[in-house]
Amino acid sequence: MTPPPPLGRPRNKDGPSFDSALDDSELATVRDALTRGRWADTRTLLARTGDDWDRRGHRLVVLAESATSAAWAREWQLAEPDSPDAAALLACATVFRALHGKDSPDAARALCLTAARMAPRDPTPWLAILLLARRTGTDDERVRAFDQVRARHRDHHHAHHLMAACLAERQDGDRDDPLHEVYDFASWAAEQAPADSPLAVLPVVAHAERYRVLAGAGLEPADPARSGHWTTRRARQVMKAAFDWWLEWDIDEDAADAADTADAADTADAADGAGAAAATTAHPRRKVDLNYLAHAKLHEGRPAEAAALLTRIGRHATHAPWSYPDRDPRKSFRAARRAVLGAA
């Protein structure tokens, strides 16, 4: 176990980035190249990522968010019509176009199913369908998409986060139900996951997603600092279990980054960039979990623990949950840092 960094000023003096690439600098570089039409860099990155499904899903989603990604994916597909990576990128990019009203959900779903047929073991096309179904589909469609993802990678991080958000939005009555299905879902997922899985933090995510829904309905204060949502006995148990998991399984990210760089180089040399998994130490979406956990610890009234987490986060802030329920995430994140670190 690597101890948390000292409680003090964070190692990164820059402001929060809110970059969906998080701390994957290689991904950020390739994404920038893709916006300029250099899809060959994307091909190399995805080939090197291999069947690290969480990392592949994270990278494809980030690459697909750009407004020009669908056009460049089509150009790639014209050059390499049998490429499952090109098909997956086009499917994910078209999903984002559909979510922004620039393409039809039916067309996006059809492309996802095509990509799924080209790579039957890849959960990413089904992740894209789940992203689409969250906004445009039915409960049954969301559950089916989640089940398809889980059949291919049972601990898929992003899919579990999406499903928690979907379940949290089911509201009966005029109060929070401690037996709400999102809490049961998150507890089940955390219990069945391997000991080192970041799904251990999913109950914290579920708690934040329920706050988003309750506050949006006027059943909790719009200011999370005024809410008792994080101070109930059950909430404290959830926060403690997640923080204890982080203390046990947290890694030294500088060492991990060095290992990732070395592994990527070794993989490229050994496999010539074709189909090999990128061996990594750090989970690609770990910063997402740390943001949820820091947010929870802050509102639980645990400033020392929040400070340790915010220091580990550095500049890699995420919109959720700092934007909940309808707040400026940059202001919320900076206020949190000032409160526990004395620095914005």
Side-chain angles (χ1 to χ4, degrees):
M1 181 192 84
T2 302
L7 303 185
R9 291 190 177 275
R11 70 182 72 172
N12 195 316
K13 296 181 180 180
D14 294 336
S17 68
F18 291 97
D19 185 347
S20 58
L22 302 173
D23 53 351
D24 190 335
S25 57
E26 185 180 15
L27 170 60
T29 299
V30 170
R31 177 191 56 196
D32 293 345
L34 182 62
T35 63
R36 299 192 297 274
R38 289 167 48 191
W39 52 262
D41 293 349
T42 299
R43 177 181 56 188
T44 301
L45 178 71
L46 294 177
R48 198 160 60 235
T49 305
D51 61 1
D52 181 345
W53 300 128
D54 276 323
R55 193 171 302 274
R56 177 178 172 82
H58 171 62
R59 286 177 162 175
L60 273 165
V61 165
V62 172
L63 290 166
E65 289 173 335
S66 171
T68 61
S69 293
W72 295 123
R74 287 190 182 281
E75 181 171 304
W76 178 9
Q77 201 171 48
L78 286 172
E80 299 179 4
D82 296 327
S83 168
D85 290 346
L89 178 59
L90 178 59
C92 291
T94 308
V95 163
F96 281 107
R97 285 181 55 82
L99 293 176
H100 290 115
K102 297 179 179 180
D103 220 321
S104 78
D106 287 345
R109 192 174 191 278
L111 287 170
C112 290
L113 292 174
T114 297
R117 287 191 294 270
M118 293 179 71
R121 293 177 55 243
D122 183 6
T124 310
W126 295 102
L127 174 68
I129 290 176
L130 180 56
L131 279 163
L132 184 67
R134 186 190 172 194
R135 297 302 182 199
T136 68
T138 64
D139 284 346
D140 286 346
E141 287 170 341
R142 295 174 195 124
V143 170
R144 283 199 298 271
F146 175 74
D147 287 346
Q148 291 289 344
V149 173
R150 197 169 183 273
R152 291 159 174 80
H153 180 39
R154 61 177 301 186
D155 302 317
H156 199 289
H157 188 270
H158 196 169
H160 280 81
H161 274 234
L162 287 171
M163 201 62 199
C166 291
L167 293 175
E169 290 163 3
R170 297 179 181 176
Q171 176 64 23
D172 293 320
D174 59 357
R175 62 182 179 85
D176 190 22
D177 181 357
L179 301 179
H180 191 281
E181 60 188 312
V182 72
Y183 300 137
D184 287 341
F185 168 77
S187 295
W188 164 80
E191 289 168 3
Q192 59 81 42
D196 62 344
S197 170
L199 291 182
V201 185
L202 193 66
V204 176
V205 175
H207 215 73
E209 295 298 338
R210 275 301 285 160
Y211 169 74
R212 170 180 60 83
V213 174
L214 293 166
L219 303 177
E220 284 280 355
D223 181 357
R226 295 177 48 239
S227 171
H229 190 68
W230 287 272
T231 58
T232 65
R233 181 173 178 271
R234 183 191 174 285
R236 289 187 183 278
Q237 289 175 338
V238 165
M239 309 315 161
K240 182 181 186 304
F243 189 77
D244 288 348
W245 175 87
W246 177 64
L247 288 176
E248 180 174 0
W249 293 102
D250 182 45
I251 62 168
D252 184 295
E253 293 175 10
D254 291 335
D257 290 343
D260 288 349
T261 301
D263 287 337
D266 290 345
T267 303
D269 291 342
D272 195 27
T280 56
T281 317
H283 193 280
R285 283 169 48 87
R286 66 193 183 278
K287 297 291 189 180
V288 175
D289 292 310
L290 294 189
N291 274 268
Y292 274 96
L293 190 51
H295 180 268
K297 283 297 179 181
L298 177 72
H299 296 303
E300 186 193 0
R302 297 278 188 171
E305 294 172 356
L309 290 157
L310 286 165
T311 301
R312 199 58 121 195
I313 288 167
R315 66 191 299 266
H316 301 293
T318 57
H319 285 89
W322 301 104
S323 62
Y324 291 170
D326 187 20
R327 302 167 65 81
D328 183 324
R330 190 173 298 274
K331 290 181 179 178
S332 297
F333 185 78
R334 284 178 165 167
R337 284 167 58 95
R338 281 194 300 270
V340 300
L341 292 172

